[in-house]
Amino acid sequence: MLVISRKKGESLLIGDDIEITVEKIDTSSVKISIKAPKEKAILRKEVYENSNAIVTSECLLNILK
């Protein structure tokens, strides 16, 4: 696992096509923006873990359209 510090306005890259930027920092939360291809499914971990259905990425993309 990589642990990295970022300040407001700073980014990190995952591969060539995903950029995560820190937008706002509050006392108990951080707001981030994610730039990624539309083909990439982006879910909050708790939504993914609490899902009762097994969904493929392709099926998920169709649902999110």
Side-chain angles (χ1 to χ4, degrees), residues 1-4 6-7 10-11 13-14 19-20 23-24 31 37-38 40-41 44 47-48 50-52 57 62 64-65:
M1 176 189 308
L2 172 66
V3 178
I4 187 168
R6 300 278 74 200
K7 295 179 182 176
E10 293 182 334
S11 299
L13 298 173
I14 300 175
E19 180 179 4
I20 300 173
E23 298 293 334
K24 184 176 180 181
K31 184 179 279 189
K38 289 184 179 185
K40 300 282 185 179
R44 291 177 292 138
V47 171
Y48 180 79
N50 292 329
S51 174
N52 291 326
S57 295
N62 291 327
L64 296 175
K65 285 183 183 177

Side-chain angles (χ1 to χ4, degrees):
M1 176 189 308
L2 172 66
V3 178
I4 187 168
S5 297
R6 300 278 74 200
K7 295 179 182 176
K8 182 179 175 185
E10 293 182 334
S11 299
L12 61 99
L13 298 173
I14 300 175
D16 294 331
D17 56 355
I18 300 174
E19 180 179 4
I20 300 173
T21 304
V22 177
E23 298 293 334
K24 184 176 180 181
I25 302 170
D26 286 327
T27 312
S28 61
S29 68
V30 176
K31 184 179 279 189
I32 61 170
S33 63
I34 303 170
K35 291 181 188 175
K38 289 184 179 185
E39 301 82 39
K40 300 282 185 179
I42 300 172
L43 295 173
R44 291 177 292 138
K45 185 176 179 180
E46 65 273 14
V47 171
Y48 180 79
E49 290 177 342
N50 292 329
S51 174
N52 291 326
I54 298 173
V55 181
T56 66
S57 295
E58 183 178 329
C59 180
L60 180 60
L61 287 172
N62 291 327
I63 292 169
L64 296 175
K65 285 183 183 177

